[in-house]
Every structure is written in structure tokens, then in C-alpha cells.
Amino acid sequence: MSEGSKGSSLAFGQVVIGPPGSGKTTYCHGMQEFMGRIGRKVTVVNLDPANETMPYQCGVDIAELITLPDVMENLKLGPNGGLIYCMEYLEANFDWLQEKLAAFRGHYYLFDCPGQVELYTHHEALKNVFAQLAKWNFRLAAVHLVDSHYCTDPGKFISVLCTSLSTMLHVELPHVNVLSKMDLIEQYGKLAFNLDYYTEVLDLSYLVDHLAADPFFRNYRRLNEKLVEVIEDYSLVSFVPLNVQDKESMRQVMQAVDKANGYSFGDQEHRSLETLMSAAVGADFHFTSTLAVQEKYVQSQDKALEEEVMDL
């Protein structure tokens, strides 16, 4: 993986990003197990210096280079400033990262990244790390996890859309946005619209109208309208629903990412024509996976309504 060597083999992988608590480490663990069962050699690279408990088998750990507690203690920095320092330190030590990754040549890489949002929206360190990996012939896709509970609050959902768009434009990688923890969505509350409205990011003017019913947001209608216009003008943000406990859901997310980073079209695995075409068709899997989750959600809502009627 020497820099600039055109003859070196390609390496494929995912950089798993998203806000704190969105399920990045759980996703890496689940995806490592899922890919392992289908015969893919997978290495998880922990790039989060604050990650002390890792459920997955870690191949490369940034803790061997630097840790957040050490930085906070020695430099008297807070957690946010400490994380930024750690990423800048990693950027200054590319040779360490290159040497560690070289030990897993021929593997598929999952990069478990920190949960600090500004690292993906405007800070340059992680973006430069991803760019350096590209120079080493890594073909990466960004998997941006967002907790599905934001769908239950229109104001928060607009905020999530803006953050996702900003991340996509800043990171400059093929991007797959994922609504995580879909198995818990019925516990978060009633959705204002069908689930496909949120995954496909349909006409957001309905969302603004829904917000206007709240006296607090009514005063900010024009601001929300302008934010929605920005999101719709770019037409880049959509989501794949994910339940880590469901094999079919994991397969559909893997299929989306494999298409984004080009792995589907390589010769790393023996694939049938049907498998290749299913990845190349486009976004058909979005509809089927969303439909399955929506059906489960509606059933849970109907059951809750029946129980309320029985109580009466």
C-alpha cells in the first residue's frame, strides 16, 4: 500500500460515522459477524480514541497510538478538544496507520470512527485521513448512522437532514445514510407520516406544515422553509433503514454500501449474475426494506390501539 503506487491491489471498506449513541460500534460488530458468515475476511479498525469497550474483534486500534484520557489529562483538554487533538495526531502519523493496515492486506476494512459531529461537518483532520487512504488505493464508502428516533420529532428530523447533507458535502466520499435502531422505532412514539416519507425524504413541505402546528415552531416557519429548500435543492439525502438483529436488513445495507464503494463490481468474491444485478438495479431494496419495517410498525400501532380499546 505504498503511496502513489498504481500497481498495488485495491482495498475496500467502510468508514462508519455518525453522532454519539447512533450505534456505530454495534454496527461494526454486527457487520463483522455478518460478513464473516458469508466468507468475507473483515478487519475492524478502531479510530475512536475514546472507545474503551469494543465488542468486536479489533485488528487495528488507535489506542496503541493515542488515547483520549491521556490527552485530556496531560494537555488539560475537554473531551471535544481532546478528540480533535487525537485526530490531528493521527493525521500527523500516517506511517503508523499504513504499517498497521498493511498487516491485513486482502481484507475488507470497517473503520469505527469517533462520534463528534464537527469532525464530519467542518474539521479537516478525518477528511484528510480518508483522503490519504484513497491515495493508498482504498475504495471507501461513508456509512452515516442516524438514530431512527429523530423521525418522531419533525424539528429534529430537519436538523438531522441538514447535518447529513453537510457531512456528505464535507467528507467527499460515496455516502450511505442509515436510520439505525429500527427495531426500537415503535417505542419512540407515533410517526407523523409513513416510514417511506422519512427514508426517501419526500416532499418536506408537509413537514414544515406539521411543525407550524406547534406554537414554538410557528415563529420559525420561514427559517424551516429555507432549510427545507436547501435540502431539496441538493436532493442528495435519503436513508436505508437498519435493524442490526435482522439478517435481511443487514444484507440490504451491505448491498447498498458494496454498490457505493464499488466492491459489488470487483472480483473479490465469486458472485452469481443475480447477485450482481441486484446490487446494480438501483434503489429497489429501499422500497422492500422500508415496506417490511413499516408493516411491523403499523402492526405495533394497531396492537396498542386495540389494547387501549380493551382497557376502556
mmCIF file of all heavy atoms in Angstrom, residues 131-180:
data_model
loop_
_atom_site.group_PDB
_atom_site.id
_atom_site.type_symbol
_atom_site.label_atom_id
_atom_site.label_comp_id
_atom_site.label_asym_id
_atom_site.label_seq_id
_atom_site.Cartn_x
_atom_site.Cartn_y
_atom_site.Cartn_z
ATOM 1 N N ALA A 131 -8.778 10.913 2.767
ATOM 2 C CA ALA A 131 -8.120 11.229 1.500
ATOM 3 C C ALA A 131 -6.804 10.464 1.365
ATOM 4 O O ALA A 131 -6.441 9.999 0.280
ATOM 5 C CB ALA A 131 -7.884 12.735 1.390
ATOM 6 N N GLN A 132 -6.074 10.330 2.483
ATOM 7 C CA GLN A 132 -4.814 9.587 2.454
ATOM 8 C C GLN A 132 -5.060 8.107 2.181
ATOM 9 O O GLN A 132 -4.323 7.467 1.431
ATOM 10 C CB GLN A 132 -4.075 9.751 3.783
ATOM 11 C CG GLN A 132 -2.699 9.105 3.810
ATOM 12 C CD GLN A 132 -1.748 9.709 2.788
ATOM 13 O OE1 GLN A 132 -1.628 10.927 2.682
ATOM 14 N NE2 GLN A 132 -1.085 8.860 2.010
ATOM 15 N N LEU A 133 -6.107 7.567 2.765
ATOM 16 C CA LEU A 133 -6.462 6.173 2.499
ATOM 17 C C LEU A 133 -6.774 5.962 1.023
ATOM 18 O O LEU A 133 -6.417 4.929 0.441
ATOM 19 C CB LEU A 133 -7.673 5.774 3.359
ATOM 20 C CG LEU A 133 -7.414 5.617 4.859
ATOM 21 C CD1 LEU A 133 -8.731 5.462 5.613
ATOM 22 C CD2 LEU A 133 -6.512 4.424 5.136
ATOM 23 N N ALA A 134 -7.416 6.942 0.406
ATOM 24 C CA ALA A 134 -7.702 6.848 -1.028
ATOM 25 C C ALA A 134 -6.415 6.806 -1.847
ATOM 26 O O ALA A 134 -6.320 6.097 -2.855
ATOM 27 C CB ALA A 134 -8.576 8.020 -1.462
ATOM 28 N N LYS A 135 -5.398 7.552 -1.408
ATOM 29 C CA LYS A 135 -4.100 7.529 -2.097
ATOM 30 C C LYS A 135 -3.425 6.171 -1.962
ATOM 31 O O LYS A 135 -2.601 5.791 -2.804
ATOM 32 C CB LYS A 135 -3.183 8.620 -1.540
ATOM 33 C CG LYS A 135 -3.646 10.041 -1.837
ATOM 34 C CD LYS A 135 -2.703 11.066 -1.228
ATOM 35 C CE LYS A 135 -3.179 12.491 -1.498
ATOM 36 N NZ LYS A 135 -2.286 13.495 -0.856
ATOM 37 N N TRP A 136 -3.777 5.428 -0.906
ATOM 38 C CA TRP A 136 -3.233 4.078 -0.714
ATOM 39 C C TRP A 136 -4.108 3.025 -1.397
ATOM 40 O O TRP A 136 -4.051 1.851 -1.067
ATOM 41 C CB TRP A 136 -3.130 3.765 0.778
ATOM 42 C CG TRP A 136 -2.137 4.604 1.515
ATOM 43 C CD1 TRP A 136 -1.072 5.277 0.997
ATOM 44 C CD2 TRP A 136 -2.137 4.885 2.924
ATOM 45 N NE1 TRP A 136 -0.400 5.944 1.985
ATOM 46 C CE2 TRP A 136 -1.016 5.726 3.185
ATOM 47 C CE3 TRP A 136 -2.941 4.508 3.992
ATOM 48 C CZ2 TRP A 136 -0.706 6.192 4.462
ATOM 49 C CZ3 TRP A 136 -2.639 4.964 5.268
ATOM 50 C CH2 TRP A 136 -1.524 5.795 5.497
ATOM 51 N N ASN A 137 -4.930 3.465 -2.333
ATOM 52 C CA ASN A 137 -5.802 2.589 -3.120
ATOM 53 C C ASN A 137 -6.919 1.948 -2.303
ATOM 54 O O ASN A 137 -7.372 0.842 -2.619
ATOM 55 C CB ASN A 137 -4.990 1.497 -3.835
ATOM 56 C CG ASN A 137 -4.322 2.029 -5.090
ATOM 57 O OD1 ASN A 137 -4.813 2.964 -5.720
ATOM 58 N ND2 ASN A 137 -3.188 1.463 -5.444
ATOM 59 N N PHE A 138 -7.370 2.634 -1.258
ATOM 60 C CA PHE A 138 -8.575 2.210 -0.558
ATOM 61 C C PHE A 138 -9.792 2.780 -1.284
ATOM 62 O O PHE A 138 -9.811 3.956 -1.645
ATOM 63 C CB PHE A 138 -8.572 2.717 0.886
ATOM 64 C CG PHE A 138 -7.804 1.851 1.842
ATOM 65 C CD1 PHE A 138 -6.426 1.931 1.906
ATOM 66 C CD2 PHE A 138 -8.468 0.957 2.670
ATOM 67 C CE1 PHE A 138 -5.710 1.136 2.793
ATOM 68 C CE2 PHE A 138 -7.761 0.161 3.557
ATOM 69 C CZ PHE A 138 -6.374 0.243 3.621
ATOM 70 N N ARG A 139 -10.777 1.952 -1.491
ATOM 71 C CA ARG A 139 -12.054 2.380 -2.059
ATOM 72 C C ARG A 139 -13.076 2.331 -0.928
ATOM 73 O O ARG A 139 -13.513 1.268 -0.517
ATOM 74 C CB ARG A 139 -12.466 1.478 -3.227
ATOM 75 C CG ARG A 139 -11.493 1.525 -4.393
ATOM 76 C CD ARG A 139 -11.441 2.919 -5.021
ATOM 77 N NE ARG A 139 -10.478 3.001 -6.116
ATOM 78 C CZ ARG A 139 -9.255 3.458 -6.007
ATOM 79 N NH1 ARG A 139 -8.816 3.888 -4.817
ATOM 80 N NH2 ARG A 139 -8.446 3.508 -7.044
ATOM 81 N N LEU A 140 -13.435 3.501 -0.417
ATOM 82 C CA LEU A 140 -14.243 3.597 0.791
ATOM 83 C C LEU A 140 -15.610 4.214 0.510
ATOM 84 O O LEU A 140 -15.766 5.030 -0.401
ATOM 85 C CB LEU A 140 -13.526 4.445 1.850
ATOM 86 C CG LEU A 140 -12.145 3.968 2.303
ATOM 87 C CD1 LEU A 140 -11.508 5.011 3.209
ATOM 88 C CD2 LEU A 140 -12.243 2.627 3.016
ATOM 89 N N ALA A 141 -16.578 3.819 1.312
ATOM 90 C CA ALA A 141 -17.879 4.475 1.356
ATOM 91 C C ALA A 141 -18.146 4.892 2.791
ATOM 92 O O ALA A 141 -17.792 4.175 3.732
ATOM 93 C CB ALA A 141 -18.978 3.542 0.865
ATOM 94 N N ALA A 142 -18.729 6.062 2.975
ATOM 95 C CA ALA A 142 -19.088 6.526 4.308
ATOM 96 C C ALA A 142 -20.476 5.995 4.663
ATOM 97 O O ALA A 142 -21.428 6.157 3.897
ATOM 98 C CB ALA A 142 -19.087 8.052 4.354
ATOM 99 N N VAL A 143 -20.567 5.331 5.809
ATOM 100 C CA VAL A 143 -21.852 4.866 6.329
ATOM 101 C C VAL A 143 -22.214 5.774 7.495
ATOM 102 O O VAL A 143 -21.607 5.702 8.565
ATOM 103 C CB VAL A 143 -21.771 3.395 6.785
ATOM 104 C CG1 VAL A 143 -23.117 2.949 7.365
ATOM 105 C CG2 VAL A 143 -21.370 2.499 5.620
ATOM 106 N N HIS A 144 -23.177 6.660 7.257
ATOM 107 C CA HIS A 144 -23.551 7.664 8.253
ATOM 108 C C HIS A 144 -24.782 7.187 9.004
ATOM 109 O O HIS A 144 -25.889 7.131 8.454
ATOM 110 C CB HIS A 144 -23.834 9.000 7.551
ATOM 111 C CG HIS A 144 -24.132 10.114 8.503
ATOM 112 N ND1 HIS A 144 -25.046 11.109 8.215
ATOM 113 C CD2 HIS A 144 -23.642 10.403 9.732
ATOM 114 C CE1 HIS A 144 -25.101 11.958 9.233
ATOM 115 N NE2 HIS A 144 -24.266 11.547 10.164
ATOM 116 N N LEU A 145 -24.607 6.816 10.270
ATOM 117 C CA LEU A 145 -25.700 6.299 11.081
ATOM 118 C C LEU A 145 -26.433 7.431 11.800
ATOM 119 O O LEU A 145 -25.808 8.326 12.370
ATOM 120 C CB LEU A 145 -25.169 5.308 12.120
ATOM 121 C CG LEU A 145 -24.492 4.037 11.597
ATOM 122 C CD1 LEU A 145 -24.056 3.158 12.752
ATOM 123 C CD2 LEU A 145 -25.413 3.267 10.678
ATOM 124 N N VAL A 146 -27.755 7.361 11.762
ATOM 125 C CA VAL A 146 -28.610 8.322 12.466
ATOM 126 C C VAL A 146 -29.660 7.531 13.225
ATOM 127 O O VAL A 146 -30.299 6.628 12.668
ATOM 128 C CB VAL A 146 -29.297 9.288 11.478
ATOM 129 C CG1 VAL A 146 -30.297 10.179 12.212
ATOM 130 C CG2 VAL A 146 -28.271 10.131 10.740
ATOM 131 N N ASP A 147 -29.840 7.829 14.503
ATOM 132 C CA ASP A 147 -30.826 7.129 15.321
ATOM 133 C C ASP A 147 -32.231 7.402 14.790
ATOM 134 O O ASP A 147 -32.617 8.557 14.587
ATOM 135 C CB ASP A 147 -30.712 7.591 16.779
ATOM 136 C CG ASP A 147 -31.424 6.662 17.752
ATOM 137 O OD1 ASP A 147 -32.539 6.226 17.430
ATOM 138 O OD2 ASP A 147 -30.855 6.380 18.820
ATOM 139 N N SER A 148 -33.012 6.343 14.576
ATOM 140 C CA SER A 148 -34.335 6.487 13.968
ATOM 141 C C SER A 148 -35.331 7.249 14.851
ATOM 142 O O SER A 148 -36.384 7.660 14.364
ATOM 143 C CB SER A 148 -34.912 5.107 13.632
ATOM 144 O OG SER A 148 -35.016 4.304 14.792
ATOM 145 N N HIS A 149 -35.010 7.445 16.136
ATOM 146 C CA HIS A 149 -35.963 8.160 16.998
ATOM 147 C C HIS A 149 -36.153 9.605 16.566
ATOM 148 O O HIS A 149 -37.153 10.237 16.924
ATOM 149 C CB HIS A 149 -35.535 8.076 18.474
ATOM 150 C CG HIS A 149 -34.601 9.145 18.920
ATOM 151 N ND1 HIS A 149 -33.233 9.004 18.891
ATOM 152 C CD2 HIS A 149 -34.830 10.400 19.406
ATOM 153 C CE1 HIS A 149 -32.664 10.100 19.345
ATOM 154 N NE2 HIS A 149 -33.593 10.968 19.661
ATOM 155 N N TYR A 150 -35.224 10.145 15.767
ATOM 156 C CA TYR A 150 -35.376 11.522 15.275
ATOM 157 C C TYR A 150 -36.567 11.661 14.338
ATOM 158 O O TYR A 150 -37.058 12.773 14.120
ATOM 159 C CB TYR A 150 -34.102 11.974 14.565
ATOM 160 C CG TYR A 150 -32.933 12.191 15.497
ATOM 161 C CD1 TYR A 150 -31.778 11.427 15.393
ATOM 162 C CD2 TYR A 150 -32.970 13.158 16.499
ATOM 163 C CE1 TYR A 150 -30.699 11.612 16.252
ATOM 164 C CE2 TYR A 150 -31.906 13.357 17.363
ATOM 165 C CZ TYR A 150 -30.770 12.570 17.237
ATOM 166 O OH TYR A 150 -29.716 12.751 18.089
ATOM 167 N N CYS A 151 -37.046 10.541 13.783
ATOM 168 C CA CYS A 151 -38.196 10.606 12.884
ATOM 169 C C CYS A 151 -39.470 11.020 13.616
ATOM 170 O O CYS A 151 -40.411 11.524 12.988
ATOM 171 C CB CYS A 151 -38.424 9.246 12.207
ATOM 172 S SG CYS A 151 -37.105 8.733 11.076
ATOM 173 N N THR A 152 -39.511 10.793 14.917
ATOM 174 C CA THR A 152 -40.726 11.103 15.672
ATOM 175 C C THR A 152 -40.864 12.580 16.001
ATOM 176 O O THR A 152 -41.905 13.004 16.491
ATOM 177 C CB THR A 152 -40.752 10.294 16.986
ATOM 178 O OG1 THR A 152 -39.619 10.646 17.792
ATOM 179 C CG2 THR A 152 -40.709 8.794 16.702
ATOM 180 N N ASP A 153 -39.830 13.363 15.733
ATOM 181 C CA ASP A 153 -39.856 14.797 16.009
ATOM 182 C C ASP A 153 -39.496 15.547 14.731
ATOM 183 O O ASP A 153 -38.342 15.505 14.294
ATOM 184 C CB ASP A 153 -38.864 15.141 17.118
ATOM 185 C CG ASP A 153 -38.960 16.597 17.577
ATOM 186 O OD1 ASP A 153 -39.085 17.482 16.707
ATOM 187 O OD2 ASP A 153 -38.904 16.839 18.791
ATOM 188 N N PRO A 154 -40.460 16.220 14.073
ATOM 189 C CA PRO A 154 -40.180 16.892 12.798
ATOM 190 C C PRO A 154 -39.031 17.890 12.876
ATOM 191 O O PRO A 154 -38.225 17.992 11.950
ATOM 192 C CB PRO A 154 -41.504 17.602 12.477
ATOM 193 C CG PRO A 154 -42.539 16.806 13.194
ATOM 194 C CD PRO A 154 -41.876 16.315 14.455
ATOM 195 N N GLY A 155 -38.932 18.643 13.988
ATOM 196 C CA GLY A 155 -37.851 19.610 14.131
ATOM 197 C C GLY A 155 -36.495 18.939 14.159
ATOM 198 O O GLY A 155 -35.543 19.380 13.497
ATOM 199 N N LYS A 156 -36.383 17.849 14.922
ATOM 200 C CA LYS A 156 -35.125 17.114 14.989
ATOM 201 C C LYS A 156 -34.797 16.466 13.651
ATOM 202 O O LYS A 156 -33.627 16.366 13.265
ATOM 203 C CB LYS A 156 -35.199 16.049 16.090
ATOM 204 C CG LYS A 156 -35.210 16.610 17.501
ATOM 205 C CD LYS A 156 -35.264 15.498 18.527
ATOM 206 C CE LYS A 156 -35.264 16.062 19.954
ATOM 207 N NZ LYS A 156 -35.362 14.976 20.967
ATOM 208 N N PHE A 157 -35.827 16.014 12.943
ATOM 209 C CA PHE A 157 -35.576 15.355 11.657
ATOM 210 C C PHE A 157 -35.011 16.338 10.640
ATOM 211 O O PHE A 157 -34.101 16.005 9.878
ATOM 212 C CB PHE A 157 -36.859 14.716 11.126
ATOM 213 C CG PHE A 157 -36.648 13.880 9.895
ATOM 214 C CD1 PHE A 157 -35.877 12.722 9.952
ATOM 215 C CD2 PHE A 157 -37.197 14.245 8.676
ATOM 216 C CE1 PHE A 157 -35.663 11.946 8.821
ATOM 217 C CE2 PHE A 157 -36.994 13.486 7.544
ATOM 218 C CZ PHE A 157 -36.224 12.322 7.610
ATOM 219 N N ILE A 158 -35.510 17.567 10.612
ATOM 220 C CA ILE A 158 -34.947 18.585 9.731
ATOM 221 C C ILE A 158 -33.493 18.855 10.101
ATOM 222 O O ILE A 158 -32.629 18.995 9.224
ATOM 223 C CB ILE A 158 -35.785 19.881 9.793
ATOM 224 C CG1 ILE A 158 -37.145 19.671 9.124
ATOM 225 C CG2 ILE A 158 -35.042 21.037 9.116
ATOM 226 C CD1 ILE A 158 -38.041 20.886 9.151
ATOM 227 N N SER A 159 -33.204 18.900 11.399
ATOM 228 C CA SER A 159 -31.834 19.092 11.854
ATOM 229 C C SER A 159 -30.937 17.951 11.391
ATOM 230 O O SER A 159 -29.807 18.172 10.937
ATOM 231 C CB SER A 159 -31.807 19.199 13.380
ATOM 232 O OG SER A 159 -30.486 19.277 13.865
ATOM 233 N N VAL A 160 -31.443 16.724 11.473
ATOM 234 C CA VAL A 160 -30.686 15.549 11.023
ATOM 235 C C VAL A 160 -30.419 15.623 9.522
ATOM 236 O O VAL A 160 -29.324 15.291 9.053
ATOM 237 C CB VAL A 160 -31.451 14.256 11.380
ATOM 238 C CG1 VAL A 160 -30.959 13.075 10.550
ATOM 239 C CG2 VAL A 160 -31.300 13.947 12.856
ATOM 240 N N LEU A 161 -31.397 16.058 8.766
ATOM 241 C CA LEU A 161 -31.218 16.182 7.316
ATOM 242 C C LEU A 161 -30.124 17.198 6.985
ATOM 243 O O LEU A 161 -29.291 16.956 6.102
ATOM 244 C CB LEU A 161 -32.536 16.596 6.655
ATOM 245 C CG LEU A 161 -33.671 15.567 6.675
ATOM 246 C CD1 LEU A 161 -34.945 16.177 6.100
ATOM 247 C CD2 LEU A 161 -33.284 14.319 5.887
ATOM 248 N N CYS A 162 -30.121 18.314 7.686
ATOM 249 C CA CYS A 162 -29.092 19.335 7.454
ATOM 250 C C CYS A 162 -27.708 18.809 7.821
ATOM 251 O O CYS A 162 -26.733 19.033 7.085
ATOM 252 C CB CYS A 162 -29.411 20.592 8.269
ATOM 253 S SG CYS A 162 -30.864 21.511 7.724
ATOM 254 N N THR A 163 -27.620 18.101 8.952
ATOM 255 C CA THR A 163 -26.337 17.524 9.368
ATOM 256 C C THR A 163 -25.854 16.485 8.361
ATOM 257 O O THR A 163 -24.665 16.443 8.018
ATOM 258 C CB THR A 163 -26.465 16.877 10.759
ATOM 259 O OG1 THR A 163 -26.914 17.866 11.693
ATOM 260 C CG2 THR A 163 -25.140 16.314 11.225
ATOM 261 N N SER A 164 -26.771 15.640 7.888
ATOM 262 C CA SER A 164 -26.407 14.605 6.917
ATOM 263 C C SER A 164 -25.905 15.232 5.623
ATOM 264 O O SER A 164 -24.901 14.791 5.050
ATOM 265 C CB SER A 164 -27.611 13.696 6.628
ATOM 266 O OG SER A 164 -28.042 13.038 7.795
ATOM 267 N N LEU A 165 -26.592 16.275 5.162
ATOM 268 C CA LEU A 165 -26.174 16.949 3.932
ATOM 269 C C LEU A 165 -24.813 17.596 4.100
ATOM 270 O O LEU A 165 -23.937 17.472 3.231
ATOM 271 C CB LEU A 165 -27.218 17.993 3.539
ATOM 272 C CG LEU A 165 -26.929 18.807 2.269
ATOM 273 C CD1 LEU A 165 -26.791 17.892 1.058
ATOM 274 C CD2 LEU A 165 -28.029 19.836 2.034
ATOM 275 N N SER A 166 -24.605 18.276 5.222
ATOM 276 C CA SER A 166 -23.318 18.913 5.491
ATOM 277 C C SER A 166 -22.202 17.875 5.542
ATOM 278 O O SER A 166 -21.103 18.090 5.007
ATOM 279 C CB SER A 166 -23.391 19.683 6.817
ATOM 280 O OG SER A 166 -22.146 20.265 7.138
ATOM 281 N N THR A 167 -22.470 16.724 6.162
ATOM 282 C CA THR A 167 -21.474 15.650 6.256
ATOM 283 C C THR A 167 -21.137 15.100 4.882
ATOM 284 O O THR A 167 -19.962 14.878 4.556
ATOM 285 C CB THR A 167 -22.000 14.520 7.162
ATOM 286 O OG1 THR A 167 -22.263 15.040 8.461
ATOM 287 C CG2 THR A 167 -20.993 13.388 7.262
ATOM 288 N N MET A 168 -22.149 14.884 4.060
ATOM 289 C CA MET A 168 -21.927 14.354 2.711
ATOM 290 C C MET A 168 -21.046 15.278 1.883
ATOM 291 O O MET A 168 -20.135 14.833 1.181
ATOM 292 C CB MET A 168 -23.266 14.147 2.000
ATOM 293 C CG MET A 168 -24.144 13.080 2.629
ATOM 294 S SD MET A 168 -25.783 12.981 1.880
ATOM 295 C CE MET A 168 -25.386 12.166 0.332
ATOM 296 N N LEU A 169 -21.298 16.576 1.993
ATOM 297 C CA LEU A 169 -20.539 17.539 1.200
ATOM 298 C C LEU A 169 -19.119 17.708 1.725
ATOM 299 O O LEU A 169 -18.184 17.965 0.957
ATOM 300 C CB LEU A 169 -21.258 18.890 1.198
ATOM 301 C CG LEU A 169 -22.640 18.914 0.542
ATOM 302 C CD1 LEU A 169 -23.280 20.293 0.682
ATOM 303 C CD2 LEU A 169 -22.555 18.517 -0.924
ATOM 304 N N HIS A 170 -18.920 17.551 3.042
ATOM 305 C CA HIS A 170 -17.598 17.773 3.627
ATOM 306 C C HIS A 170 -16.688 16.549 3.495
ATOM 307 O O HIS A 170 -15.507 16.686 3.144
ATOM 308 C CB HIS A 170 -17.743 18.150 5.102
ATOM 309 C CG HIS A 170 -16.437 18.440 5.779
ATOM 310 N ND1 HIS A 170 -15.713 19.594 5.544
ATOM 311 C CD2 HIS A 170 -15.697 17.733 6.679
ATOM 312 C CE1 HIS A 170 -14.605 19.584 6.258
ATOM 313 N NE2 HIS A 170 -14.566 18.459 6.950
ATOM 314 N N VAL A 171 -17.223 15.367 3.773
ATOM 315 C CA VAL A 171 -16.404 14.155 3.784
ATOM 316 C C VAL A 171 -15.934 13.768 2.379
ATOM 317 O O VAL A 171 -14.849 13.210 2.201
ATOM 318 C CB VAL A 171 -17.189 12.996 4.444
ATOM 319 C CG1 VAL A 171 -16.466 11.672 4.291
ATOM 320 C CG2 VAL A 171 -17.404 13.298 5.922
ATOM 321 N N GLU A 172 -16.759 14.035 1.384
ATOM 322 C CA GLU A 172 -16.393 13.796 -0.022
ATOM 323 C C GLU A 172 -16.090 12.321 -0.305
ATOM 324 O O GLU A 172 -15.088 11.975 -0.928
ATOM 325 C CB GLU A 172 -15.199 14.671 -0.429
ATOM 326 C CG GLU A 172 -15.497 16.159 -0.384
ATOM 327 C CD GLU A 172 -14.310 17.014 -0.788
ATOM 328 O OE1 GLU A 172 -13.191 16.474 -0.892
ATOM 329 O OE2 GLU A 172 -14.497 18.228 -1.000
ATOM 330 N N LEU A 173 -16.985 11.440 0.187
ATOM 331 C CA LEU A 173 -16.909 10.018 -0.116
ATOM 332 C C LEU A 173 -18.278 9.553 -0.607
ATOM 333 O O LEU A 173 -19.298 10.188 -0.297
ATOM 334 C CB LEU A 173 -16.535 9.212 1.140
ATOM 335 C CG LEU A 173 -15.089 9.234 1.620
ATOM 336 C CD1 LEU A 173 -14.966 8.464 2.938
ATOM 337 C CD2 LEU A 173 -14.136 8.654 0.578
ATOM 338 N N PRO A 174 -18.332 8.449 -1.364
ATOM 339 C CA PRO A 174 -19.648 7.842 -1.626
ATOM 340 C C PRO A 174 -20.359 7.600 -0.301
ATOM 341 O O PRO A 174 -19.746 7.124 0.655
ATOM 342 C CB PRO A 174 -19.283 6.521 -2.325
ATOM 343 C CG PRO A 174 -17.940 6.766 -2.929
ATOM 344 C CD PRO A 174 -17.225 7.707 -1.994
ATOM 345 N N HIS A 175 -21.622 7.915 -0.237
ATOM 346 C CA HIS A 175 -22.278 8.066 1.062
ATOM 347 C C HIS A 175 -23.545 7.219 1.136
ATOM 348 O O HIS A 175 -24.367 7.216 0.214
ATOM 349 C CB HIS A 175 -22.641 9.541 1.250
ATOM 350 C CG HIS A 175 -22.586 10.014 2.656
ATOM 351 N ND1 HIS A 175 -21.441 10.516 3.234
ATOM 352 C CD2 HIS A 175 -23.523 10.056 3.624
ATOM 353 C CE1 HIS A 175 -21.687 10.874 4.486
ATOM 354 N NE2 HIS A 175 -22.947 10.595 4.742
ATOM 355 N N VAL A 176 -23.724 6.507 2.240
ATOM 356 C CA VAL A 176 -24.952 5.777 2.524
ATOM 357 C C VAL A 176 -25.447 6.219 3.898
ATOM 358 O O VAL A 176 -24.791 5.977 4.912
ATOM 359 C CB VAL A 176 -24.730 4.244 2.517
ATOM 360 C CG1 VAL A 176 -26.024 3.524 2.880
ATOM 361 C CG2 VAL A 176 -24.220 3.772 1.153
ATOM 362 N N ASN A 177 -26.581 6.910 3.923
ATOM 363 C CA ASN A 177 -27.192 7.318 5.189
ATOM 364 C C ASN A 177 -28.073 6.189 5.705
ATOM 365 O O ASN A 177 -28.862 5.609 4.945
ATOM 366 C CB ASN A 177 -28.037 8.580 4.994
ATOM 367 C CG ASN A 177 -27.191 9.797 4.716
ATOM 368 O OD1 ASN A 177 -26.287 10.138 5.477
ATOM 369 N ND2 ASN A 177 -27.454 10.471 3.602
ATOM 370 N N VAL A 178 -27.950 5.881 6.978
ATOM 371 C CA VAL A 178 -28.658 4.737 7.565
ATOM 372 C C VAL A 178 -29.451 5.192 8.783
ATOM 373 O O VAL A 178 -28.911 5.870 9.668
ATOM 374 C CB VAL A 178 -27.662 3.631 7.977
ATOM 375 C CG1 VAL A 178 -28.383 2.501 8.710
ATOM 376 C CG2 VAL A 178 -26.934 3.084 6.754
ATOM 377 N N LEU A 179 -30.730 4.824 8.821
ATOM 378 C CA LEU A 179 -31.548 5.022 10.023
ATOM 379 C C LEU A 179 -31.384 3.787 10.892
ATOM 380 O O LEU A 179 -31.914 2.718 10.581
ATOM 381 C CB LEU A 179 -33.023 5.217 9.650
ATOM 382 C CG LEU A 179 -33.464 6.608 9.182
ATOM 383 C CD1 LEU A 179 -34.930 6.589 8.799
ATOM 384 C CD2 LEU A 179 -33.211 7.663 10.245
ATOM 385 N N SER A 180 -30.628 3.922 11.983
ATOM 386 C CA SER A 180 -30.314 2.774 12.827
ATOM 387 C C SER A 180 -31.396 2.551 13.889
ATOM 388 O O SER A 180 -32.276 3.388 14.094
ATOM 389 C CB SER A 180 -28.952 2.976 13.507
ATOM 390 O OG SER A 180 -28.984 4.108 14.358
#
